[in-house]
């Protein structure tokens, strides 16, 4: 029951403090963390750059994106976009095509010749980055933006690391990779090629560097003991993919068997088909459900004619054939040998069993700890030796390009703080904007835009890019499917529905406030906010 007006007058001091005796709770505007942002290993502010993209301001969208990730054209092609798996729109119809819009923005930046803004001032500090892969170049970019002098020392002849030597051209065209690396070099970063760091402390001292970021990729192929005759052709996947960057392509033969179940195994099998193999067979010891390769890559491989023998393992390799043993799952779901064998014709066998990192450059470094083949780091990405940081394949984490880019950014910001004698960079994350906080009845169905795919004949015979990009019309449509989860986009719903005229509108880009002298705490604004940017909090009397 509404309280008498006289009682309201008696609490004038409360009114002055914006409390009201007629309310149990008051509305407040909040900034919740969109689930896509929360999921992104590179730490992109996805919702923010989508906001600019949906208004057609593509350059501003790109500039917002590259505050966190310098490789949008690359990531639009090779990222496995876990952000889309977390997207709330997926519970309405289909997730926003975040990765496809990023692809468009990256290509648009290359086409338009957009450059990074130069750093405001030089700090006078020098940082050595070891390795010109995704993590190393990400760190170099962010360090340069912070005003540090950065030198990247790369053991190979070209930049990109596993982006170049582990991802085939049909997934990542080299002109795209080169364009985005060139932009980092134009920022002032020096890359010294064919420069292998043998001892990190000696390189640090001789170069007069104030800090080091280690970003050596996993280029050493793991081996498995397979009895093989002298004439058997057994190769490793890393060497095969690396040799694709040279003039002499690998001679795999007409019948190629790939041993393994990860994305690298898929890439090698698809590469073999493009090199002319009539048969490319993947032998994997477990079931498809347990295969670590991403499902969409498995599907693309099957479409291109790659065959997969599940629950199988190679027991022996000969000159022109291999012996395969069939496996069966036990009661716990683990594969066990059955004693049943079959022979497969094979001109070559390619082992795709994972990779290790060459850690010889850190031998004897005081305080630095290695466990299970990876370097241990703290929450700053710093090793046990002060001033030496590490990331990417070198540290305990999932090994993919997106994670590596995130490591480079995090390390760069903590290197900057360490050089200034500041505390580690703290990341404050807001409450996640879960689906239950949205009011999706305001959104009409808008089916996800499907990116074009190269026809199957050309996919089997050329290294042309398989996955195409969106045009401007499609990219604009896709960006506008974003629900702006948890953050006000000034739709004016609260302003229009408030029965007490308690919402104060400050103008475009300036948001809203509540006049709590008028608000009775009915909560209609919360119920009618499409993106969940308002919540009710208990009143303090």
């Amino acid at each position: 029951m509404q309280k008498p007006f006289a009682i309201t007058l008696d609490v004038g001091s409360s009114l002055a403090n914006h409390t009201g005796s007629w309310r149990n709770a008051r509305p407040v505007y909040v900034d919740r963390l969109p689930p896509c942002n929360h999921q992104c290993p590179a730490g992109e502010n996805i919702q923010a750059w989508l906001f600019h993209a949906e208004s057609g301001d593509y350059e501003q969208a790109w500039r917002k994106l590259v505050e966190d990730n310098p490789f949008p054209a690359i990531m639009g092609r090779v990222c496995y976009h876990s952000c889309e798996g977390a997207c709330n729109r997926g519970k309405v119809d289909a997730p926003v095509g975040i990765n496809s819009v990023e692809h468009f923005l990256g290509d648009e930046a290359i086409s338009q010749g957009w450059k990074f803004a130069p750093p405001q001032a030089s700090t006078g500090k020098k940082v050595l980055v070891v390795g010109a892969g995704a993590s190393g170049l990400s760190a170099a970019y962010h360090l340069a933006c912070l005003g540090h002098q950065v030198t990247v020392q790369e053991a190979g002849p070209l930049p990109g690391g596993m982006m170049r030597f582990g991802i085939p051209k049909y997934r990542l065209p080299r002109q795209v990779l080169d364009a985005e690396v060139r932009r980092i070099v134009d920022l002032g970063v020096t890359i010294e090629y064919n420069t292998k760091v043998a001892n990190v402390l000696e390189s640090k001292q001789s170069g007069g560097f104030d800090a080091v970021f280690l970003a050596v990729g996993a280029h050493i192929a793991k081996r498995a003991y397979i009895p093989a005759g002298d004439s058997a052709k057994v190769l490793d996947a890393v060497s095969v993919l690396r040799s694709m960057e040279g003039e002499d392509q690998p001679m795999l033969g007409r019948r190629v068997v790939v041993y393994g179940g990860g994305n690298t195994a898929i890439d090698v099998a698809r590469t073999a088909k493009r090199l002319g193999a009539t048969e490319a067979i993947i032998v994997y010891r477990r079931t498809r459900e347990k295969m670590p390769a991403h499902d969409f890559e498995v599907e693309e491989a099957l479409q291109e004619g790659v065959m997969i023998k599940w629950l199988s393992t190679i027991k022996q390799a000969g000159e022109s054939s291999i012996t395969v043993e069939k496996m069966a799952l036990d009661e716990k779901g683990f594969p066990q040998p059955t004693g049943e064998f079959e022979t497969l014709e094979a001109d070559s066998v390619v082992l795709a069993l994972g990779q290790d990192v060459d850690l010889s450059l850190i031998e004897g470094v005081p305080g630095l700890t290695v466990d299970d083949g990876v370097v241990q780091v703290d929450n700053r990405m710093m090793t046990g030796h002060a001033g030496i940081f590490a990331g990417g394949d070198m540290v305990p984490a999932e090994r993919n390009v997106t994670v590596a880019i995130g490591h480079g950014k995090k390390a760069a910001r903590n290197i900057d703080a360490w050089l200034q004698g500041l505390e580690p960079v703290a990341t404050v994350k807001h409450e996640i904007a879960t689906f239950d906080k949205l009011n999706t009845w305001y959104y009409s169905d808008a089916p996800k835009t499907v990116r074009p795919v190269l026809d199957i004949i050309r996919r089997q015979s050329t290294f042309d890019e398989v996955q195409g990009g969106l045009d401007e019309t499609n990219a604009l449509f896709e960006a506008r499917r974003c629900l702006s989860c948890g953050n006000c986009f000034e739709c004016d719903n609260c302003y229009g529905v408030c029965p007490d005229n308690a919402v104060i509108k400050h103008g475009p880009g300036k948001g809203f406030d509540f006049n709590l002298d008028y608000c009775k705490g009915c909560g209609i604004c919360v119920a009618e906010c499409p993106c969940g940017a308002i919540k009710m909090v208990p009143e303090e009397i």
Side-chain angles (χ1 to χ4, degrees), residues 138-265:
S138 172
Y141 161 72
H142 288 287
L143 287 164
C145 289
L146 291 166
H148 303 301
Q149 182 180 338
V150 185
T151 298
V152 181
Q153 295 185 346
E154 165 58 41
L158 294 167
M162 294 304 286
M163 293 189 293
R164 182 182 299 275
F165 297 113
I167 300 177
K169 296 175 183 177
Y170 63 79
R171 289 182 57 207
L172 177 57
R174 297 307 183 246
Q175 66 269 24
V176 172
L177 172 60
D178 291 337
E180 297 212 303
V181 172
R182 189 179 309 116
R183 197 185 287 128
I184 294 175
V185 173
D186 292 343
L187 195 61
V189 171
T190 299
I191 305 179
E192 299 175 354
Y193 298 109
N194 300 308
T195 306
K196 182 177 175 62
V197 175
N199 184 298
V200 64
L201 291 181
E202 290 180 3
S203 295
K204 180 176 183 290
Q205 183 177 8
S206 63
F209 295 105
D210 299 291
V212 178
F213 179 61
L214 302 174
V216 178
H219 293 271
I220 303 175
K222 292 182 179 180
R223 306 290 293 185
Y225 176 69
I226 299 175
D230 293 338
S231 58
K233 191 172 184 180
V234 180
L235 309 169
D236 70 80
V238 176
S239 298
V240 170
L241 293 176
R242 179 180 289 274
S243 65
M244 292 300 298
E245 290 301 303
E247 295 181 0
D248 298 325
Q249 295 183 338
M251 303 295 291
L252 300 177
R254 290 289 181 179
R255 299 162 301 182
V256 181
V257 172
V258 182
Y259 192 29
N263 292 315
T264 300

Side-chain angles (χ1 to χ4, degrees), residues 366-382:
L368 197 149
T369 303
V370 175
D371 185 18
D372 197 24
V374 288
V375 178
Q376 302 302 301
V377 293
D378 61 18
N379 63 338
R380 299 171 293 180
M381 308 297 292
M382 188 160 75

